[in-house]
Amino acid sequence: MITPRNDGGKTSFCCRHFYFENAPPSFQSAYLYIRLMASSSFPFFTRTLLDWYEPERRPLAWKHITDPYLIWLSEIILQQTRAEQGAPYFQKFSECYPTVSDLARAAEDEVMKMWEGLGYYSRARNLHAAAKFIHTEYGGVFPDDYERIRALKGVGPYTAAAIASFAFQLPYAVVDGNVYRLLSRFFDDATPIDISQGIKHFAGLAQELLPKDSAATYNQAMMDMGATICTPKKPLCEACPLNRECQGLANGTITERPVKVKKLKRSTRYFNYLVVQHPDFRMIEKRTAKDIWRNLYQFPLVETKASLDTLSQLLEEQSWPDWLLAENLQLIRKLGPRKQELTHQRIIADFWEFKYIGNRPDRLPEGINLIKPENCSKFAFPKVISWYFDDNSLYLF
């Protein structure tokens, strides 16, 4: 319940266990508005969402599932991934690993290969680690309370709330991009969603609106409304059942909500992949450092401060591997650049194809692997290298 408090002339708003001192006007009006609507058993917002929701408005493979493991799997896949892109991966994972113990027993390289193309590979590593934990600590039985779910590696408040409500009907509101957008527009709330105060604010707002006996339906309705009606661009306000009470629509601020105050900074990195080819082998290595694409495979890499034009420039780089002698290499061609945009980084990749003309190496540094050319497809590579393979750019002898 939200209640105002007066403390020496300052107004605070209490939402369960935290207070918001001197909240901005839009912040206060949102809470006051809920209090005014709360005179009926269900506020207009909540009641309208529940009346509007129909599962088939947005048919997805995981909507009718109550198995917490499969719900967890779908939610991890959908982090940073559109539903249309994630659906085939969900199908593939659920068929190959029908239980959490099946996933726990899988080899890491196998899991990473299955994940290839989804990006944000820390999700796959955390998924596999959490599956192992559930298998060993809980005997393969998925935990059924919010706190233990939240404690799993890679599970944040949103994912924990989704699993708790969809699998166990527990009263926890989900808060994701769809929810931020829907609430900030409906209440015309300019509280930034990318600062701690704003995160707590919208979490409290969502929780107050949650019908305790219909948590799963309400949460799904919120996500479906945000995904199909209250979309980031060109929202369908005329078709929205909430439009008659929507403060953002009334005030003409729909396109200004939600508010973010932090600007994304993206650095550029230049990768030069050494595609060393021989009729009997290819050279690859595993990325093990704490960096992007950890535990994925790649060709030996020379990272530079800018794009390079000639082989002589590449050979002069200090990061050129001293174990790979130039006298054993014959340049075939240079392909690229290929560009891959990540959240905080832009990768510009060039592929230098060499024919290996020396004797087969007897000693290689730890981490460098010689694999048969036909086995390249068994390893998980970053998307930029997968694109290279898909273009049939690999020179064949």
Side-chain angles (χ1 to χ4, degrees), residues 362-383:
D362 293 326
R363 293 184 178 181
L364 290 171
E366 184 178 356
I368 299 296
N369 300 294
L370 299 184
I371 63 170
K372 293 181 179 180
E374 61 269 24
N375 287 342
C376 286
S377 61
K378 297 180 181 180
F379 295 84
F381 294 92
K383 184 180 291 185

Side-chain angles (χ1 to χ4, degrees), residues 24 26-27 184 187-193 201-202 256-261:
S26 63
F27 184 104
S184 65
F187 295 110
D188 193 17
D189 194 331
T191 307
I193 64 172
H201 163 52
F202 283 105
E256 301 169 18
R257 307 286 180 262
V259 172
K260 292 184 179 181
V261 295

